[in-house]
Amino acid sequence: MTVSIRLLGPEDVETFRRIRIEALRAEPDSFASSAEDWESLPDDEWRRRLTDNPVFVAFRANDPVGIMGLLRQHASKMAHRATVVMVYVHRSLCGSGVARLLLAALIDYARNEGIRQLELSVSAENAAAIAFYHRERFEAVGRIPGGCIRNGREVDDIIMVRRIGD
């Protein structure tokens, strides 16, 4: 299986839309947003979300099979920090190393941009994701009780951090 990772550009809105909606539909409990939240967005908003922050997509042949984005802090004293978002790999490729390839591309990009710390939030109920982030040297630094409401019940979020810079 050959997988390539690419940073999407403004011309890739349809690819972005396709993999983002797939992720939200396939793993609804893994995201704070719902597919409905994103499906109703106008084209200009899709383009803005794609171009305002880096979005990496994994491709098998020409098919998008994974996604990972980065939201950088804008305040000058916090610009060394960024949040990993939209993490998804097609179920058939879980455990194949695609998430690690996406993360490696994202980390290379972040380091080149002067980012020193990556942060993320993961559902306390998503043991596989927590294990992946631990393997990738993220540390749990906190917990947000009731961080997300899923199927009418509150689920805690785990906050994880990885230092990537000097």
Side-chain angles (χ1 to χ4, degrees), residues 1-5 57-60 64-68 87-90 92-105 132:
M1 169 200 60
T2 302
V3 172
S4 62
I5 308 297
V57 169
F59 292 88
R60 181 172 53 187
V65 294
I67 185 171
M68 192 176 289
V87 178
Y88 166 77
V89 172
H90 190 276
S92 69
L93 295 172
C94 288
S96 69
V98 172
R100 177 174 263 173
L101 291 172
L102 282 163
L103 183 60
F132 168 74

Side-chain angles (χ1 to χ4, degrees), residues 38-144:
W38 283 69
E39 287 169 337
S40 64
L41 295 175
D43 289 345
D44 288 349
E45 182 62 15
W46 278 96
R47 186 168 282 100
R48 186 191 68 74
R49 290 184 186 201
L50 176 59
T51 57
D52 283 0
N53 297 288
V55 176
F56 294 86
V57 169
F59 292 88
R60 181 172 53 187
N62 291 324
D63 292 324
V65 294
I67 185 171
M68 192 176 289
L70 191 66
L71 296 177
R72 187 173 194 163
Q73 294 285 340
H74 294 291
S76 61
K77 295 177 185 177
M78 295 171 63
H80 65 288
R81 297 169 50 201
T83 304
V84 178
V85 295
M86 297 188 293
V87 178
Y88 166 77
V89 172
H90 190 276
R91 187 170 280 147
S92 69
L93 295 172
C94 288
S96 69
V98 172
R100 177 174 263 173
L101 291 172
L102 282 163
L103 183 60
L106 185 137
I107 288 171
D108 285 345
Y109 176 93
R111 281 188 179 127
N112 288 334
E113 294 293 312
I115 293 168
R116 298 179 186 180
Q117 181 167 294
L118 296 179
E119 304 166 6
L120 58 87
S121 174
V122 60
S123 170
E125 296 179 343
N126 193 340
I130 293 168
F132 168 74
Y133 294 125
H134 276 301
R135 284 192 304 274
E136 296 301 317
R137 302 193 328 259
F138 281 82
E139 296 178 36
V141 296
R143 185 179 199 102
I144 300 174

